[in-house]
Amino acid sequence: MEHLEFKDRLIRIEQLLLANKEVLTLEEACQYTGISRSYMYKLTSSEKIPYCKPRGKLIYFEREKLNSWLLNKFNP
C-alpha cells in the first residue's frame, strides 16, 4: 500500500513540474493535451498545430501556443 502512495506522489510531482515548463517535448505535449502520439504527428505534418523543429529532428511545443490552439480548436 505504501508503494502505491509513493508512486501517486511521484506522479503528482511530475504533473506539477510539467505544468511549469514553457516548452514541451512531443511526449509532454501529448500528455498535456490528451492527444495521442500518432494524431499529434498527423497534426504537425499537416501543420494544423503550432510546433517548432529547431534542429530538424525533435519536435517542441510552446505551452502558450498550445493553449491558444486548444481554445480556438474546441471553441469556434
Side-chain angles (χ1 to χ4, degrees), residues 29 33 35 39-52 61 65-66 69-70:
T33 62
I35 296 172
Y39 189 59
M40 188 67 85
Y41 273 124
K42 184 177 181 176
L43 290 171
T44 58
S45 67
S46 60
E47 297 188 6
K48 292 185 177 179
I49 191 168
Y51 70 97
C52 300
F61 301 85
K65 289 182 180 179
L66 267 181
W69 179 83
L70 285 168

Side-chain angles (χ1 to χ4, degrees), residues 2-73:
E2 209 174 289
H3 178 68
L4 289 176
E5 249 180 63
F6 184 70
K7 187 175 178 181
D8 288 340
R9 285 183 173 182
L10 283 176
I11 290 170
R12 279 188 252 142
I13 291 169
E14 285 177 339
Q15 290 170 343
L16 287 170
L17 290 172
L18 179 61
N20 289 325
K21 287 183 73 176
E22 291 181 33
V23 177
L24 307 174
T25 64
L26 177 74
E27 295 299 326
E28 293 167 338
C30 290
Q31 183 181 4
Y32 180 71
T33 62
I35 296 172
S36 71
R37 183 181 171 100
S38 61
Y39 189 59
M40 188 67 85
Y41 273 124
K42 184 177 181 176
L43 290 171
T44 58
S45 67
S46 60
E47 297 188 6
K48 292 185 177 179
I49 191 168
Y51 70 97
C52 300
K53 207 171 180 182
R55 295 190 179 122
K57 191 168 185 168
L58 298 176
I59 298 172
Y60 296 98
F61 301 85
E62 291 180 51
R63 179 184 300 278
E64 189 175 314
K65 289 182 180 179
L66 267 181
N67 287 338
S68 205
W69 179 83
L70 285 168
L71 291 172
N72 290 325
K73 179 73 176 164

